[in-house]
Amino acid sequence: MMRGAQCGGVVAFHTKDKVKGIRSRVVNGKRSDLSKKVRKKLQQNVKLNNGDIPFFSGHTRFATTSKVTLDGTHPHLWTPPIVRRVYDFNVPKSGRHTFQPHQIQIENYITHNGDFDFYTVNSVSYDLQVIQQFLTTVVGSMPSVVDSCAIAGMMDLLRTQGCFGLSARYVIALGLPSSKMQLDDRISFPTYNEFEKIGFLFEDVLRSMQENGDFFDICDNAESRYSLAEKVVLQLKASPLINSIEHFLKSDGERGADLLTFCVRTVDAFFDNDLFFATKEFLANAKGSFGLCVASSLDAKRQIVLAARGQTMSIAFYPEKNLICYGSEQAAVKAGISAEFPGPGRVTEPVLDIDNDALRLDLDDLNGEILLIDWGRGKFKNAPLSKPNRHMEKHELMNGSVDVFLFHESKATTCYAELYHRMTRLTRNPFIQPLRADSQDPVMDDILDIPKICNSIQNEWKVDRAAKSLNRLTAYNLSRCLRERLEAHIRGTVHPRGTDILLTGCEVSLWLAEQFAGDLQKSFPNLRIKALSSNKLLGLYGQEISVPTFGFPDSPQSHHLHDAIVIIVSHSGGTFAPLSCSNLLQSSTRNIFVITSEWDTQIGKQLRAMDAMNSDNGEVNLFNSRVFTTDVGVRPAEPCSVSVVATHQLMTNLFQYICAIILSDSRFREWSEAIISEYDLQLLERCNQRNIEALCDIVSAATDGEPFIGKPDPTTIELRKAGDLWAEHILENARAYIITIIYIFLTVISGYPLIYGIAVLCGFVSSDWIYLIRLFDAAIYIWMPQINVLLIRLIQGRNLRHRMVGRTVVIGDIPWVAQAAEAFLSKLFACSYSIAGLNVLSGNPADHLVHRHTHRVVRGTLVICGRPDGRLSALSTAEAAVCLSVTQASSIQSLGGTCESITIGHNNFKLPLTQNAIFLKRKRPLFLCERILLEHDVSEETVFAVRGSHTNCQIQTTQDYLIHRNSFQSVDGSSKVHERGGENHAATTTRNDNDRSSITTRISSCIKCLFSRRYHDPDNILDCSTLLNSSVRPQRSLSRSAGALIGAYMNIDDENNNNDDDDDNNTPMECSSSTASFGDSMQISSIVKKAIEEKKWSDDVRKLFDTFDVDGDGFISREEFREGFRLFNSSCPEDEVRQIFRMGDTDGSGKLDYREFLELLDHFDIQSGIKIPSSSRNEKGLIRIEASREKYFGQSLRRCNAGKKNGITNDFLLARKQHFSQELYETRCASLQRFVAMTVMFHQIGYRVQRFFSVVSFGWLGYRMDRTHSIMRIATTASPVSGADVKERLRYLQLLKKVQHSIHVISTAYLAYRARKEEEEEAAAAAAAAAMNTTHKE
């Protein structure tokens, strides 16, 4: 079951003797399997014999507009099976056939996905309530109030071929100019018996005409039909039967003319209204969204009709298995790929290469399409279609055993000469993934697949896979659109409210999109990036009157989406709202992309169709690829884990790609005000690659999806232990009640309650004590569940003070993790029994968790919070905020008990008030701030170790240690004397302060080391080999809280500020306090100092520019730049100098003006004295996304910036340069690891609870945690707009766009004409003036 499993049913037709429909319907229970129940019911009702059942038509339903009841379950029929006088139009090829009426049982069944809103008769639309009342009067009593049942009633009216009685009823009800659905209560509608008697007159005339001609000759000849109608008119005029219908004929004309119209249309309906015609007629007048399957007992031997409008419909053909599958989801019809059938199947010699392949046809649900499947070839003489539709092209499928006919409701549908051109091959297709085999624990299977899927996604984005990767091909198309958008910004042609990148989705997909949008917006502040719910977009743009978004600033006027880049995030690729947005937004922009689970999805199909319609030959250009795929495929488990992780992983790679595109062009970098740098991308890519190893350890599975051999990883064991403990909390009431039931049974049956039994054994039973004993036994009966709970807790060693009620889990983390984890856990317990139910809440602990949920914290509340890695200086305050929230929640006590909290994170410090802390492995190199802190710890250890034996050495500070460190201990632990330490120190003390503070000196120093990683300043105060060595290890591992980490970094910052003041000769502007803090930069002295430095910077840059500009023309030519550059760094290779010049020459003029020269210096961050390592670029100048190879992050930064200041100060400034990359590590990698860790723990909770009920009930109370009551694997979240409204709105917007384009073309042509006319008039006037002047002179 793919979508909707509250009820379902199947209809089958026995066709051996008399055609008879057998309907099997069931209403699903909360924990039962609907597919098994339907199959069981079907096997009870239908005996399968070879060839007796040509097809099964079924439907599963998720109720949206009514309650789930058996009468509302599909398949639907309005009129119960009833016998009518019918001419059988299906003439067997063998045997004799006479065309005369027979008593045949008629049953018309439909299955419908969508909404039936209105039906139009003679230009008047009637709503569903009127339609139902009309059908009750005309056809019979209403079997169900659901809208789908009304469609079955309409089919009873419309499907009339072969029956004159039904045809006459159809014409009176719907076929006359005077027909209407709102009937006059004063006039009774004729009964069917009256229509049948009228039909006898038609039969008599037809019988007489058959004596002189063939039945099909009469059918196909318009004159014969008219003659038949005229003869019936004569008989009706003389018959009292006309009285029953005369009130429904037009009163303003001659009755004879109206009667003739009635007879002509009745004859036409008798010959033409077959199953296909009836479906076509219905959809032509119905308004709503329809995914229809129509079947009738009159046609069951050879054909069924499928239709789609506003609802998807896919049909798969399996020639080798003689099987055809249809469904509303593309993935569902792939069930036939792995299905096995008895016997060898059908394999014929193929005419074409694909004749024996399984093929899928997707109907055009946007524009509307109807499909007739006919398998009567070779069995029947008559045509499969009635005369009005015989012009339609026939397509042969299944090696010629099946004919299909397609009708397009809109001319916008692309028609192909060969149907194969629009079909998708399901076999021998690397882009199609078969459905996964059933599993006992699909949730665990998904979790184990996480490292495999993430590794596969990362490999596909590697440079060497670019030519083979569909994702890279799509990324190329996205980069083209992004460049065009940025070029438009530079030209200034973008609307002021224009959105550059719009991300949309539903539920988990939206939460991931919001995080992606936030990261991208922070990286490029000037870009306009929005993440909006697909439902909001439909509400705003999907209908004439928009749905107000109360509480949000969104309105149709607030977003200008013309030529915006739209990225739709949808794991299934078939969710209603994103699918509708993929159609709706095409009227505003062509730059639409989708991130989905596989290439073959409904949204992908719509986007490929968009390109096909815009191409000349109807084929899709591969370079217009619009689908990003995770290749996860359809996952049967409702709780989402691997799909969430895979989508997040793919968006991380996409984020890097977009950043590389923008950063590669200095114009784009400048306009977007890029915060991110190439170096940040290198660090992120390294963390991204190492993230796979972390995921492997968390789930204990290798990158091939196989579990670890032997014992799981300790992290997994710890997560499962925590899950086991929380499962015991949840199950304690169930265990207690089971013990209570056993106690009651034993004591009541035996007659010896506990206290009474003890008293009997002790001989204390007497009349004096019996009442007191019974009182105690009664108290035990009353409080038995609570007593058992306490005993269970005592035995298991759990907290006795927790409340004895249903448990609540509160999840805290950054928004996307908290929300996705809440959805995962709540779905795990969707089918659990109430005695072991779970209430799940979530929030952001750094924001509103305390405000929203602490009032609900009671004894026994289970709190789990993800902690950012506070060991990173950019994240230490974030972890401190999370820890404060957890501590506040844990400090709320009642009767000495509080909540039970667990934290998950990378910083191995346990909060005092938490019950447990689970630490994840780092699996990444140290960042520079961690390295500095590590060196600080080593220095402190050494200071304390050597202070007693080296009293002559004045080692008071960390800076002193950095100078003399190697005199005491090498970084790798061995004894080693550093020879240059003292010399460097002496050189430092005698260095000229003015030279050291000179801006020009800093510029010159930075230019010297551009593109030179081997540069080493002989005056460097630090020993570079020591600083760059990654083997520094303290003797004692320190575990710091978030607050301690903040204090440690502030102390280092204090020391930096003090060192800066000392370097500036202790001027009067220096800070008076010896304990400067982060806020010291706001002191007046610091502000004045900064202003002076900025003035010096501006003056010295101008002097440097004039030095390069030899000829003084205000521009630096390529030759001047090369000569000037060599003054500072003569060893730099020529090609590197050219590369630097090209980087600065943004306009491609071959010269650098002052602005370009200044941007070049800014690129290398020379003003701050920090040079960022250069990036690697390909032959086109695009940045290569390569992982950093540093042993610790910052190693190359130290190398490039060695010798510019004294060590600690320089290092701390360098560490600040990594703050943004640390934030990206948190949002793209660390948070992902925490989410996966939570899924492992939550799965263990759910598995233990699920297994408990199955074991104690011997399977009777078992359920599956991978399912929910609704089985909504493909979310159809509540949407404010129906598919029909989207279709109408899309048509309107497309028409409006064409009109506006026409107006633009006409106005442009008119203005050009007017300008040309004015020029001609001016020329004529000038010529006339010249002629007059000439005449005057003469």
Side-chain angles (χ1 to χ4, degrees), residues 1093-1113:
E1093 285 212 357
E1094 288 179 351
K1095 181 64 171 62
K1096 289 181 179 179
W1097 161 256
S1098 178
D1099 294 342
D1100 288 339
V1101 168
R1102 171 55 70 178
K1103 292 178 183 178
L1104 185 62
F1105 180 83
D1106 294 340
T1107 302
F1108 276 79
D1109 182 18
V1110 177
D1111 58 5
D1113 63 348

mmCIF file of all heavy atoms in Angstrom, residues 1093-1113:
data_model
loop_
_atom_site.group_PDB
_atom_site.id
_atom_site.type_symbol
_atom_site.label_atom_id
_atom_site.label_comp_id
_atom_site.label_asym_id
_atom_site.label_seq_id
_atom_site.Cartn_x
_atom_site.Cartn_y
_atom_site.Cartn_z
ATOM 1 N N GLU A 1093 43.770 53.143 11.951
ATOM 2 C CA GLU A 1093 44.318 52.072 11.118
ATOM 3 C C GLU A 1093 43.646 52.031 9.755
ATOM 4 O O GLU A 1093 44.296 51.778 8.741
ATOM 5 C CB GLU A 1093 44.180 50.726 11.823
ATOM 6 C CG GLU A 1093 45.157 50.525 12.952
ATOM 7 C CD GLU A 1093 45.549 49.055 13.096
ATOM 8 O OE1 GLU A 1093 44.997 48.233 12.346
ATOM 9 O OE2 GLU A 1093 46.392 48.755 13.937
ATOM 10 N N GLU A 1094 42.333 52.273 9.711
ATOM 11 C CA GLU A 1094 41.646 52.291 8.424
ATOM 12 C C GLU A 1094 42.152 53.422 7.549
ATOM 13 O O GLU A 1094 42.308 53.273 6.341
ATOM 14 C CB GLU A 1094 40.130 52.422 8.646
ATOM 15 C CG GLU A 1094 39.495 51.150 9.200
ATOM 16 C CD GLU A 1094 38.010 51.314 9.425
ATOM 17 O OE1 GLU A 1094 37.532 52.460 9.305
ATOM 18 O OE2 GLU A 1094 37.343 50.305 9.747
ATOM 19 N N LYS A 1095 42.437 54.595 8.166
ATOM 20 C CA LYS A 1095 42.978 55.710 7.390
ATOM 21 C C LYS A 1095 44.370 55.360 6.861
ATOM 22 O O LYS A 1095 44.704 55.620 5.690
ATOM 23 C CB LYS A 1095 43.047 56.950 8.283
ATOM 24 C CG LYS A 1095 43.583 58.202 7.577
ATOM 25 C CD LYS A 1095 42.652 58.635 6.474
ATOM 26 C CE LYS A 1095 43.058 60.000 5.904
ATOM 27 N NZ LYS A 1095 44.381 59.994 5.305
ATOM 28 N N LYS A 1096 45.193 54.743 7.706
ATOM 29 C CA LYS A 1096 46.521 54.326 7.253
ATOM 30 C C LYS A 1096 46.408 53.314 6.117
ATOM 31 O O LYS A 1096 47.153 53.348 5.149
ATOM 32 C CB LYS A 1096 47.308 53.709 8.421
ATOM 33 C CG LYS A 1096 47.754 54.711 9.470
ATOM 34 C CD LYS A 1096 48.534 53.979 10.567
ATOM 35 C CE LYS A 1096 49.019 54.959 11.633
ATOM 36 N NZ LYS A 1096 49.768 54.233 12.711
ATOM 37 N N TRP A 1097 45.449 52.393 6.280
ATOM 38 C CA TRP A 1097 45.258 51.359 5.244
ATOM 39 C C TRP A 1097 44.924 51.992 3.898
ATOM 40 O O TRP A 1097 45.507 51.671 2.873
ATOM 41 C CB TRP A 1097 44.144 50.418 5.699
ATOM 42 C CG TRP A 1097 43.520 49.602 4.602
ATOM 43 C CD1 TRP A 1097 42.331 49.799 4.020
ATOM 44 C CD2 TRP A 1097 44.091 48.454 3.970
ATOM 45 N NE1 TRP A 1097 42.099 48.858 3.071
ATOM 46 C CE2 TRP A 1097 43.167 48.006 3.018
ATOM 47 C CE3 TRP A 1097 45.294 47.754 4.129
ATOM 48 C CZ2 TRP A 1097 43.391 46.914 2.210
ATOM 49 C CZ3 TRP A 1097 45.524 46.652 3.331
ATOM 50 C CH2 TRP A 1097 44.582 46.243 2.383
ATOM 51 N N SER A 1098 43.994 52.953 3.911
ATOM 52 C CA SER A 1098 43.579 53.583 2.661
ATOM 53 C C SER A 1098 44.738 54.332 2.012
ATOM 54 O O SER A 1098 44.964 54.236 0.800
ATOM 55 C CB SER A 1098 42.417 54.541 2.933
ATOM 56 O OG SER A 1098 42.025 55.204 1.759
ATOM 57 N N ASP A 1099 45.512 55.065 2.819
ATOM 58 C CA ASP A 1099 46.638 55.815 2.270
ATOM 59 C C ASP A 1099 47.695 54.892 1.700
ATOM 60 O O ASP A 1099 48.241 55.131 0.613
ATOM 61 C CB ASP A 1099 47.252 56.710 3.354
ATOM 62 C CG ASP A 1099 46.291 57.798 3.802
ATOM 63 O OD1 ASP A 1099 45.321 58.070 3.050
ATOM 64 O OD2 ASP A 1099 46.489 58.356 4.893
ATOM 65 N N ASP A 1100 48.005 53.810 2.414
ATOM 66 C CA ASP A 1100 49.081 52.927 1.973
ATOM 67 C C ASP A 1100 48.679 52.115 0.753
ATOM 68 O O ASP A 1100 49.523 51.788 -0.090
ATOM 69 C CB ASP A 1100 49.494 51.993 3.112
ATOM 70 C CG ASP A 1100 50.260 52.726 4.209
ATOM 71 O OD1 ASP A 1100 50.799 53.809 3.904
ATOM 72 O OD2 ASP A 1100 50.314 52.216 5.339
ATOM 73 N N VAL A 1101 47.401 51.765 0.636
ATOM 74 C CA VAL A 1101 46.952 51.059 -0.561
ATOM 75 C C VAL A 1101 47.104 51.948 -1.786
ATOM 76 O O VAL A 1101 47.536 51.509 -2.857
ATOM 77 C CB VAL A 1101 45.494 50.590 -0.407
ATOM 78 C CG1 VAL A 1101 44.937 50.115 -1.737
ATOM 79 C CG2 VAL A 1101 45.410 49.459 0.604
ATOM 80 N N ARG A 1102 46.770 53.241 -1.637
ATOM 81 C CA ARG A 1102 46.932 54.161 -2.752
ATOM 82 C C ARG A 1102 48.408 54.290 -3.142
ATOM 83 O O ARG A 1102 48.748 54.314 -4.325
ATOM 84 C CB ARG A 1102 46.347 55.525 -2.371
ATOM 85 C CG ARG A 1102 46.626 56.646 -3.360
ATOM 86 C CD ARG A 1102 46.168 56.308 -4.766
ATOM 87 N NE ARG A 1102 44.720 56.283 -4.872
ATOM 88 C CZ ARG A 1102 44.078 56.047 -6.009
ATOM 89 N NH1 ARG A 1102 44.776 55.784 -7.126
ATOM 90 N NH2 ARG A 1102 42.769 56.015 -6.041
ATOM 91 N N LYS A 1103 49.300 54.338 -2.124
ATOM 92 C CA LYS A 1103 50.727 54.400 -2.421
ATOM 93 C C LYS A 1103 51.187 53.145 -3.145
ATOM 94 O O LYS A 1103 51.980 53.207 -4.097
ATOM 95 C CB LYS A 1103 51.526 54.571 -1.119
ATOM 96 C CG LYS A 1103 51.332 55.921 -0.446
ATOM 97 C CD LYS A 1103 52.117 55.986 0.852
ATOM 98 C CE LYS A 1103 51.881 57.316 1.576
ATOM 99 N NZ LYS A 1103 52.615 57.371 2.877
ATOM 100 N N LEU A 1104 50.679 51.983 -2.701
ATOM 101 C CA LEU A 1104 51.064 50.728 -3.346
ATOM 102 C C LEU A 1104 50.552 50.668 -4.775
ATOM 103 O O LEU A 1104 51.254 50.209 -5.689
ATOM 104 C CB LEU A 1104 50.524 49.551 -2.533
ATOM 105 C CG LEU A 1104 50.942 48.157 -2.997
ATOM 106 C CD1 LEU A 1104 52.444 47.985 -2.903
ATOM 107 C CD2 LEU A 1104 50.236 47.085 -2.174
ATOM 108 N N PHE A 1105 49.340 51.169 -5.006
ATOM 109 C CA PHE A 1105 48.785 51.195 -6.368
ATOM 110 C C PHE A 1105 49.642 52.078 -7.279
ATOM 111 O O PHE A 1105 49.936 51.717 -8.422
ATOM 112 C CB PHE A 1105 47.344 51.706 -6.323
ATOM 113 C CG PHE A 1105 46.676 51.782 -7.676
ATOM 114 C CD1 PHE A 1105 46.102 50.651 -8.235
ATOM 115 C CD2 PHE A 1105 46.625 52.977 -8.385
ATOM 116 C CE1 PHE A 1105 45.487 50.712 -9.481
ATOM 117 C CE2 PHE A 1105 46.024 53.048 -9.625
ATOM 118 C CZ PHE A 1105 45.444 51.896 -10.178
ATOM 119 N N ASP A 1106 50.057 53.246 -6.738
ATOM 120 C CA ASP A 1106 50.899 54.135 -7.535
ATOM 121 C C ASP A 1106 52.246 53.507 -7.824
ATOM 122 O O ASP A 1106 52.852 53.760 -8.885
ATOM 123 C CB ASP A 1106 51.078 55.470 -6.804
ATOM 124 C CG ASP A 1106 49.770 56.245 -6.695
ATOM 125 O OD1 ASP A 1106 48.850 55.961 -7.492
ATOM 126 O OD2 ASP A 1106 49.650 57.099 -5.796
ATOM 127 N N THR A 1107 52.744 52.675 -6.919
ATOM 128 C CA THR A 1107 54.011 51.979 -7.151
ATOM 129 C C THR A 1107 53.893 51.022 -8.334
ATOM 130 O O THR A 1107 54.799 50.921 -9.169
ATOM 131 C CB THR A 1107 54.433 51.205 -5.894
ATOM 132 O OG1 THR A 1107 54.546 52.120 -4.806
ATOM 133 C CG2 THR A 1107 55.764 50.485 -6.105
ATOM 134 N N PHE A 1108 52.765 50.317 -8.416
ATOM 135 C CA PHE A 1108 52.537 49.396 -9.535
ATOM 136 C C PHE A 1108 52.286 50.167 -10.843
ATOM 137 O O PHE A 1108 52.757 49.762 -11.898
ATOM 138 C CB PHE A 1108 51.334 48.490 -9.249
ATOM 139 C CG PHE A 1108 51.667 47.279 -8.434
ATOM 140 C CD1 PHE A 1108 51.829 47.364 -7.061
ATOM 141 C CD2 PHE A 1108 51.812 46.042 -9.033
ATOM 142 C CE1 PHE A 1108 52.128 46.250 -6.309
ATOM 143 C CE2 PHE A 1108 52.109 44.915 -8.289
ATOM 144 C CZ PHE A 1108 52.276 45.016 -6.919
ATOM 145 N N ASP A 1109 51.566 51.278 -10.755
ATOM 146 C CA ASP A 1109 51.160 52.042 -11.941
ATOM 147 C C ASP A 1109 52.340 52.918 -12.390
ATOM 148 O O ASP A 1109 52.437 54.099 -12.052
ATOM 149 C CB ASP A 1109 49.941 52.903 -11.606
ATOM 150 C CG ASP A 1109 49.436 53.676 -12.815
ATOM 151 O OD1 ASP A 1109 49.796 53.309 -13.957
ATOM 152 O OD2 ASP A 1109 48.669 54.648 -12.611
ATOM 153 N N VAL A 1110 53.232 52.332 -13.182
ATOM 154 C CA VAL A 1110 54.472 53.003 -13.561
ATOM 155 C C VAL A 1110 54.193 54.204 -14.460
ATOM 156 O O VAL A 1110 54.757 55.280 -14.280
ATOM 157 C CB VAL A 1110 55.432 52.004 -14.265
ATOM 158 C CG1 VAL A 1110 56.700 52.707 -14.719
ATOM 159 C CG2 VAL A 1110 55.755 50.855 -13.321
ATOM 160 N N ASP A 1111 53.310 54.043 -15.460
ATOM 161 C CA ASP A 1111 53.080 55.128 -16.414
ATOM 162 C C ASP A 1111 52.093 56.160 -15.901
ATOM 163 O O ASP A 1111 51.842 57.171 -16.562
ATOM 164 C CB ASP A 1111 52.606 54.577 -17.757
ATOM 165 C CG ASP A 1111 51.325 53.763 -17.632
ATOM 166 O OD1 ASP A 1111 50.765 53.710 -16.512
ATOM 167 O OD2 ASP A 1111 50.896 53.151 -18.633
ATOM 168 N N GLY A 1112 51.493 55.919 -14.730
ATOM 169 C CA GLY A 1112 50.620 56.910 -14.114
ATOM 170 C C GLY A 1112 49.324 57.172 -14.832
ATOM 171 O O GLY A 1112 48.715 58.234 -14.650
ATOM 172 N N ASP A 1113 48.842 56.192 -15.615
ATOM 173 C CA ASP A 1113 47.574 56.403 -16.329
ATOM 174 C C ASP A 1113 46.357 55.998 -15.522
ATOM 175 O O ASP A 1113 45.232 56.042 -16.018
ATOM 176 C CB ASP A 1113 47.595 55.634 -17.653
ATOM 177 C CG ASP A 1113 47.692 54.131 -17.450
ATOM 178 O OD1 ASP A 1113 47.977 53.701 -16.302
ATOM 179 O OD2 ASP A 1113 47.520 53.379 -18.441
#
